[in-house]
Amino acid sequence: MIKYKSKKYRSVVCTLLFLFLAMGAAADLQAQDYDLLLKGGHVIDPKNDIDSPMDVAIKDGIIARVAAGISERDAEQVVDVSGLYVTPGLIDLHSHNYYGTEPNRSYSNGFNAIPPDGFTFRSGVTTVVDVGGAGWRNFRHFKEQVIDRSQTRVLAFVNIVGEGMSGIHESNINDMDPRMTARAASRHSEIVGVKIAHFTGPEWRTTIQRAVEAGTLADVPVMVDFGGGRPSIEELFMELLRPGDIFTHVYHPGPHKEPVVDEDGRVKPFVFEAEKKGIVFDVGHGGGSFLFAHAIPSVEQGLLPTTISTDIHVGSMNAGMKDMANVMSKFINMGMSLQDVVLRSTWNPAMAIKTPELGHLSEGAEADIAVFRLQDGDFGFVDSREFKMQGSQKLETELTVRAGRIVWDLNGLSSPVWNSRTGLTRTGR
């Protein structure tokens, strides 16, 4: 046994030992390369052709590594997501978020639009695209009131109508100014497209031409939502729209919009030609724009949506649409694979709006992530006319990460288990 010569010597030895242990603890902390590690999940990242069990590590809000077998010791926080699917954060390409309290303003600073953060993260959505709520006249107000105040990434299609989607100005051709609309797009990086919607007059060709002119000037796609009058969608697809332009409400039931299927449920031949041309077919489910009688035969015949979206607003969120995960689940039960549904909810919409930095889990990308449980059971899904389809699988969002921070945790996967010693010591996020 070692005998120390003096109390002073013993004190020096103890001090050195303490410093050695402290340095070791500091080294361990420095060795923690990641802030957050999602461990044991099945990653589906269509852009990078990943469909296998992998871990996802995050550092400083950025995807740091996607690989199998990342050590838990390398991360400050580890969340076990075994048995769950890990995907890029969803991009909802058709949303209405220019909310406000102005009477008679509909989706443009009115009561029909909704604040994004209340309805995004709980369904795995990290990016929404407001489609046409604001025009060039009021886009700055929309940015200050909604975009700059939201945790959700909010992008937008600016309305070709300067007053936006107010419900009372949407058929005003005199307020459709391509140059001012394009100028707004050049000034605001959040603008990723031009929207034309709800026009009901006979001059519908003029409105499309003005929207396309604005899109061409700004080098962004155009999204079309036809109003009444049943204009020719063949002329729209084959003569007026450009490759990359977007036709939303592709499975719309009519009667004021020409459907993509005929009376026998057969997809019209020119629709497939439009798909080859590069027309983007967007779901835009909404409260009145999705019918199983059109969607199911279309999918069976190979007309799949290019992009899956909700058209979420006050009138749709509590009806058959519900949320993004519910709409995705409908297509899974119509025969599409989970991988294909994820593609059309992440990378495809990112490509449609020319934002290749979004919709994937590449190292160096912002850490927007969704974690889903694919449930087996007996589920009912409802369309816009309240017809029900039975299904056996349903997506449920367990966890959502936005810019590296956990913003939705359904069952507390990221939280320590409560006990009498720790229950009163931890503060909330």
Side-chain angles (χ1 to χ4, degrees), residues 8 11 15 46 68 100 111 157 173 208 225 229 245 257 269 288 312 341 357 364 396 400 405 407 428:
K8 181 179 180 181
S11 176
T15 300
F111 292 103
F157 278 71
I173 293 180
I208 300 298
D225 172 10
D245 286 337
K257 300 179 182 181
I312 190 169
V341 167
E357 68 275 16
E396 182 176 60
T400 303
R405 191 171 71 87
V407 290

Side-chain angles (χ1 to χ4, degrees), residues 77-92:
Q77 182 180 15
V78 179
V79 179
D80 183 1
V81 292
S82 301
L84 305 176
Y85 289 97
V86 180
T87 78
L90 307 183
I91 301 172
D92 189 350

Side-chain angles (χ1 to χ4, degrees), residues 119-374:
F119 305 94
T120 49
F121 301 142
R122 61 186 55 235
S123 63
V125 173
T126 53
T127 300
V128 294
V129 186
D130 180 273
V131 290
W136 67 268
R137 296 182 187 277
N138 55 0
F139 189 85
R140 184 180 295 277
H141 180 260
F142 171 50
K143 175 176 166 57
E144 294 173 352
Q145 179 164 288
V146 179
I147 296 176
D148 294 345
R149 296 173 180 267
S150 300
Q151 295 181 64
T152 308
R153 181 187 294 102
V154 180
L155 305 176
F157 278 71
V158 64
N159 205 311
I160 187 63
V161 178
E163 288 287 342
M165 197 177 290
S166 64
I168 55 178
H169 301 285
E170 291 173 80
S171 293
N172 183 6
I173 293 180
N174 294 326
D175 198 26
M176 298 181 183
D177 189 326
R179 294 192 177 277
M180 293 303 293
T181 301
R183 182 177 295 180
S186 68
R187 291 179 174 177
H188 300 283
S189 62
E190 298 89 353
I191 294 177
V192 294
V194 175
K195 176 77 180 293
I196 173 70
H198 304 165
F199 185 81
T200 57
E203 309 94 336
W204 64 270
R205 292 173 186 82
T206 300
T207 69
I208 300 298
Q209 289 166 346
R210 293 193 182 183
V212 168
E213 181 183 349
T216 301
L217 289 170
D219 191 26
V220 294
V222 169
M223 178 182 282
V224 177
D225 172 10
F226 269 168
R230 288 180 65 89
S232 167
I233 59 173
E234 182 173 11
E235 183 178 350
L236 174 72
F237 296 160
M238 307 312 295
E239 298 180 22
L240 297 175
L241 294 184
R242 308 160 298 167
D245 286 337
I246 303 166
F247 180 69
T248 193
H249 306 318
V250 62
Y251 306 119
H252 194 285
H256 301 297
K257 300 179 182 181
E258 180 187 350
V260 295
V261 298
D262 61 23
E263 293 180 356
D264 296 322
R266 301 298 303 176
V267 177
K268 298 171 181 177
F270 67 81
V271 176
F272 289 113
E273 292 301 315
E275 186 179 42
K276 292 177 183 177
K277 174 183 174 179
I279 300 300
V280 173
F281 293 116
D282 177 58
V283 173
H285 188 300
S289 300
F290 180 88
L291 195 64
F292 287 132
H294 291 186
I296 292 175
S298 292
V299 170
E300 289 176 346
Q301 294 167 61
L303 182 65
L304 307 181
T306 316
T307 55
I308 294 175
S309 67
T310 63
D311 183 19
I312 190 169
H313 52 78
V314 168
S316 67
M317 64 186 184
N318 294 321
M321 187 281 293
K322 295 179 175 61
D323 59 25
M324 188 71 170
N326 190 266
V327 178
M328 293 168 70
S329 298
K330 291 178 180 180
F331 284 94
I332 292 173
N333 287 281
M334 282 189 273
M336 290 175 60
S337 68
L338 175 60
Q339 292 75 11
D340 212 1
V341 167
V342 171
L343 167 66
R344 295 158 200 278
S345 307
T346 56
W347 183 237
N348 274 10
M351 289 294 91
I353 56 175
K354 301 181 181 181
T355 55
E357 68 275 16
L358 305 180
H360 55 83
L361 301 176
S362 302
E363 294 181 7
E366 192 161 26
D368 289 354
I369 304 171
V371 179
F372 294 101
R373 185 183 303 279
L374 185 60

